Amino acid sequence: GLAACEAAGAELNRDLGVADTHFPEAHVLKSFTYTAWLDTCDAIIDFCKLKSHGMMGMSAAAKNLFGVIPGTMKPEYHFRFPNMADFAHMLVDINDYFSEKVRLCLVDAVDAMEGNGPTGGTPKDFSVLLTSRSPFCLDLVCEALLGFEGTVPMVSCAKRRGLCPESIEDIEIIGDNAESCRTLDVVLPDTQKFNILRELPNLFGGKLAKLFEPRPEINKKTCIGCGVCARSCPQHTIEIKNKKAVID
């Protein structure tokens, strides 16, 4: 990181602080915590890779801005918004909040990802670099490139909130036409299991969802009682008792 900053003549960010804000205009994210150095920067450039995503269908410009949430806090936001639609609205809220500072969005789809992304996918050559002022318009084009039209939750939320057009036909594309870049044999993520999980909170009054909730497992042989797991658990189900971690 330091070498890259020196080569570019940029200053390395050493501010690891966080800031809290209230956003009453948000649909779901009425308050949240973000990395404090964003308050001092002049502009934000949102630069990401295009990836298929098992839960959200696609990861591109809008989802990339989830990176403003401090890394250790991200699990808490997944816990706060377990419903897929609410999680999508949360991502749109973050983008909406920082919209004045985001001056440019770049999506690297030269070597993108298909299949069970973002961690279990495989590389896919698109040979495309996309840029836009709007993360939502950019994601609308990315959705078409992957052949995912109408299926990416963040894009659908942005449409309903009037933050991007209804169709790629309503976007002026300068350069190569999106259709000429589109690859029709993209391997889709295996979303079937995620579709089932999305319905769990609504089944049997939420009781079935409880059975499938992830729970931590403690290896008592290796546990040294340092407390790191207890402090980082978003649901606070881990406690340290008698110098050992236990599930509450």
Side-chain angles (χ1 to χ4, degrees), residues 41-121:
C41 70
D42 296 322
I44 297 173
I45 297 176
D46 182 357
F47 188 24
C48 62
K49 277 278 191 180
L50 177 60
K51 301 177 183 179
S52 54
H53 195 283
M55 177 183 179
M56 304 307 291
M58 177 188 79
S59 178
K63 189 172 187 304
N64 192 52
L65 216 63
F66 189 44
V68 305
I69 305 300
T72 57
M73 293 185 180
K74 285 184 173 66
E76 296 184 22
Y77 287 76
H78 280 279
F79 177 69
R80 283 175 62 183
F81 305 103
N83 177 273
M84 183 270 296
D86 287 342
F87 193 84
H89 274 297
M90 180 270 294
L91 295 174
V92 175
D93 284 337
I94 290 176
N95 281 265
D96 194 19
Y97 181 83
F98 288 103
S99 60
E100 293 301 318
K101 275 204 171 184
V102 175
R103 305 293 174 80
L104 183 67
C105 299
L106 292 160
V107 174
D108 177 1
V110 176
D111 289 313
M113 178 180 285
E114 64 179 358
N116 293 323
T119 58

Side-chain angles (χ1 to χ4, degrees), residues 142-164:
C142 289
E143 185 185 52
L145 285 172
L146 290 172
F148 292 174
E149 293 97 329
T151 65
V152 176
M154 294 86 70
V155 177
S156 298
C157 287
K159 289 179 182 179
R160 289 196 295 271
R161 293 164 62 166
L163 297 172
C164 75

Side-chain angles (χ1 to χ4, degrees), residues 91-215:
L91 295 174
V92 175
D93 284 337
I94 290 176
N95 281 265
D96 194 19
Y97 181 83
F98 288 103
S99 60
E100 293 301 318
K101 275 204 171 184
V102 175
R103 305 293 174 80
L104 183 67
C105 299
L106 292 160
V107 174
D108 177 1
V110 176
D111 289 313
M113 178 180 285
E114 64 179 358
N116 293 323
T119 58
T122 55
K124 183 70 175 180
D125 179 17
F126 275 94
S127 299
V128 176
L129 181 65
L130 307 102
T131 181
S132 174
R133 171 71 171 77
S134 166
F136 306 118
C137 291
L138 200 55
D139 278 11
L140 182 60
V141 175
C142 289
E143 185 185 52
L145 285 172
L146 290 172
F148 292 174
E149 293 97 329
T151 65
V152 176
M154 294 86 70
V155 177
S156 298
C157 287
K159 289 179 182 179
R160 289 196 295 271
R161 293 164 62 166
L163 297 172
C164 75
E166 287 290 328
S167 170
I168 189 176
E169 304 298 329
D170 299 320
I171 295 179
E172 180 184 5
I173 300 176
I174 301 173
D176 294 332
N177 186 281
E179 285 298 319
S180 68
C181 303
R182 180 174 172 177
T183 302
L184 298 178
D185 59 346
V186 174
V187 177
L188 303 179
D190 182 10
T191 58
Q192 182 176 3
K193 61 180 178 181
F194 289 102
N195 288 333
I196 296 174
L197 292 175
R198 290 169 188 167
E199 296 300 323
L200 288 180
N202 304 318
L203 297 177
F204 302 105
K207 294 180 180 179
L208 186 59
K210 287 287 184 181
L211 298 176
F212 290 89
E213 284 183 350
R215 297 183 61 82

